[in-house]
Amino acid sequence: MSDLLATIVYLTMATVFLVIGCWKGLARSREPSLTLALMTAAFVLGGLVYAMASPAGYRMIGDLFDQPWIATLPIYVGILLCYADTHILTLLWTPVSVAPRRRVRQLVIAWTVAYAVAIAAMVWAFLQAHLDGPADPLEFNTQQADEPAALTFLAIQLTVLSCGTLNTFLRARRISSRDPEIAHALRWFGGSMLVTFGYVVCSTPAITAAALGHHELDEVGVAGAGFGILGCLGTCYGMTGAATTAWLRERRDAKALTPLWNLVVRDVDQRFAISSTGLPRWVNVRFGLHRGIIEILDGLRQLRAWGDADVGRAVSELQNEPLPERDLEAIRTAAILRDAVSRYRASKIPGDGIPVELPGSGQDFPVADVEAQDERARLVRVARFLNHPLATQAVELTAMRRAAGLTTSPLGEGPQGR
């Protein structure tokens, strides 16, 4: 791999890591937690490591300190810290059913101490090494393997990396979690750690051969960096894949709910709206979606007195093909809401805009018996059916009957009944 291509690849990885680190940092600012703090630290540190490990970054650090190989120390220490972070995250996600909290704390402390001791030993060994020759950022492992202190430095790094990645892989395979995001992360952590171990598999024989004076395997050692990159990409997806999927679902639902929000909030009473722009679709989507659902429910309560069961019955009368019960109920609700908003607007006294209460109405307003966590899905279904032809026909048919005095709902004027 040429220096230019390696620089492009490494800086691209650095950008990916830093973007994800900023994303996790923003999430932590909204919901402070140890796991989000560890994720943020891992991605920010990983981004810095990739920037330093790029040939351009490596040589810049060497020129800054007037020591061509000095960048190797923070890069390799940073690599161990990133994988230690991921390893500890996996330990923290161990369910109580697998290991009691006390046992998990003991494991976290033990591994943290082990990583700290290993890093201290690596720093000591590196500072003892007599490194010579011009720096080749991608071939430190094989070019300096004949230096005993450098060989010790590399042996510690590969040993600890092997123990950490394999232990994380085995633990991730054994642990199951009811939280879908954690379960998703664990699956990818396990796979990415096994891929990363390919770096050790490639580097160990190349370093051993170089230490004995044979450099035929140098390219194999350089190829090992590819396994490290693939492993990092797997870890990135493990830490962000489920969250990204959830964000996309939230953005999709926010977009779907916007017409319903416009109907029952913006077109009913702007006092219900915290923001006049409606549901956000890019920034802070989860908060905006939850806020929008609350505003929609406030609007539904305001419209309750104008609900007309005749609209729902008209939907059933006009139905000429079988529909799933959930969809049919959503169409009824959508039709009743559209009609209720029209009646609400028509009932306002000219001049002051205060709606006149309709005596005795409201008992027919659709209220679904759903759990709180299912409310979002119900409202999304209603929003998707707002403009369904069956809903439109039912509203029009009820309006015609109401004008002819053939409805059963109280209107405060005109004859009632059928």
Side-chain angles (χ1 to χ4, degrees):
M1 184 185 297
S2 68
D3 281 5
L4 177 59
L5 179 59
T7 296
I8 293 172
V9 171
Y10 277 55
L11 291 183
T12 300
M13 290 295 297
T15 302
V16 170
F17 268 68
L18 291 174
V19 168
I20 296 175
C22 292
W23 177 23
K24 293 297 181 182
L26 288 173
R28 184 190 173 280
S29 67
R30 294 192 299 268
E31 303 175 23
S33 69
L34 177 59
T35 55
L36 282 174
L38 288 173
M39 287 183 184
T40 302
F43 280 112
V44 172
L45 181 58
L48 295 176
V49 166
Y50 267 112
M52 290 188 293
S54 67
Y58 196 103
R59 291 195 172 95
M60 185 177 70
I61 294 173
D63 293 341
L64 182 64
F65 289 92
D66 198 25
Q67 295 187 40
W69 297 102
I70 191 63
T72 301
L73 180 60
I75 291 170
Y76 281 35
V77 168
I79 290 171
L80 276 193
L81 286 174
C82 286
Y83 282 98
D85 194 310
T86 304
H87 189 183
I88 290 171
L89 267 176
T90 309
L91 293 173
L92 292 174
W93 282 333
T94 304
V96 178
S97 58
V98 176
R101 292 293 92 186
R102 181 180 178 183
R103 174 60 178 162
V104 171
R105 284 195 297 270
Q106 290 173 344
L107 286 172
V108 169
I109 293 171
W111 277 103
T112 300
V113 171
Y115 281 116
V117 170
I119 289 172
M122 284 176 60
V123 172
W124 176 83
F126 187 88
L127 295 178
Q128 301 302 310
H130 298 286
L131 307 175
D132 54 10
D136 188 333
L138 301 179
E139 296 188 4
F140 173 87
N141 292 3
T142 52
Q143 286 190 6
Q144 300 298 328
D146 56 351
E147 165 60 34
L151 189 60
T152 301
F153 169 82
L154 293 170
I156 296 170
Q157 193 250 359
L158 292 176
T159 300
V160 177
L161 189 61
S162 299
C163 293
T165 53
L166 292 179
N167 187 269
T168 304
F169 165 69
L170 294 173
R171 179 166 289 274
R173 289 193 59 183
R174 290 197 302 264
I175 294 174
S176 60
S177 174
R178 295 181 180 179
D179 187 318
E181 290 194 20
I182 293 179
H184 177 94
L186 285 170
R187 286 194 300 272
W188 279 88
F189 278 7
S192 64
M193 292 303 113
L194 194 59
V195 172
T196 300
F197 184 67
Y199 169 80
V200 179
V201 173
C202 291
S203 297
T204 301
I207 292 171
T208 302
L212 297 175
H214 302 284
H215 290 271
E216 292 83 2
L217 298 179
D218 285 8
E219 291 302 318
V220 175
V222 173
F227 286 97
I229 292 173
L230 291 176
C232 286
L233 289 174
T235 302
C236 285
Y237 183 74
M239 288 192 186
T240 62
T244 301
T245 301
W247 181 82
L248 290 173
R249 284 198 302 267
E250 290 161 357
R251 183 175 177 272
R252 178 200 64 197
D253 288 352
K255 182 178 181 180
L257 284 170
T258 297
L260 182 60
W261 184 91
N262 290 339
L263 179 70
V264 304
V265 178
R266 187 191 65 184
D267 296 346
V268 171
D269 194 331
Q270 279 285 359
R271 292 175 300 175
F272 298 148
I274 297 175
S275 170
S276 60
T277 59
L279 282 74
R281 298 183 190 174
W282 293 103
V283 180
N284 210 359
V285 175
R286 178 171 298 178
F287 172 79
L289 177 61
H290 292 170
R291 184 202 68 202
I293 289 173
I294 292 171
E295 293 173 0
I296 289 172
L297 294 175
D298 286 341
L300 295 184
R301 281 191 289 271
Q302 180 72 4
L303 291 169
R304 191 177 182 84
W306 285 268
D308 187 350
D310 284 331
V311 185
R313 283 190 283 271
V315 170
S316 300
E317 293 173 16
L318 293 167
Q319 182 188 358
N320 54 19
E321 61 181 26
L323 290 170
E325 185 57 36
R326 290 196 312 174
D327 290 353
L328 187 58
E329 183 59 33
I331 292 172
R332 289 194 191 102
T333 304
I336 293 173
L337 284 176
R338 287 176 56 179
D339 180 71
V341 171
S342 296
R343 298 177 72 197
Y344 178 91
R345 289 174 176 171
S347 67
K348 289 185 177 181
I349 299 174
D352 59 15
I354 301 175
V356 177
E357 288 288 341
L358 297 181
S361 61
Q363 70 275 15
D364 296 325
F365 196 80
V367 178
D369 184 17
V370 297
E371 299 292 334
Q373 64 268 23
D374 298 326
E375 189 68 70
R376 168 176 154 190
R378 182 180 79 93
L379 293 176
V380 168
R381 279 197 302 275
V382 172
R384 293 189 188 283
F385 286 110
L386 277 179
N387 295 314
H388 192 277
L390 193 54
T392 300
Q393 293 168 18
V395 172
E396 292 174 351
L397 177 60
T398 305
M400 291 171 58
R401 288 175 173 174
R402 192 177 291 142
L406 299 176
T407 61
T408 59
S409 63
L411 296 175
E413 61 181 19
Q416 307 297 323
R418 294 184 185 275

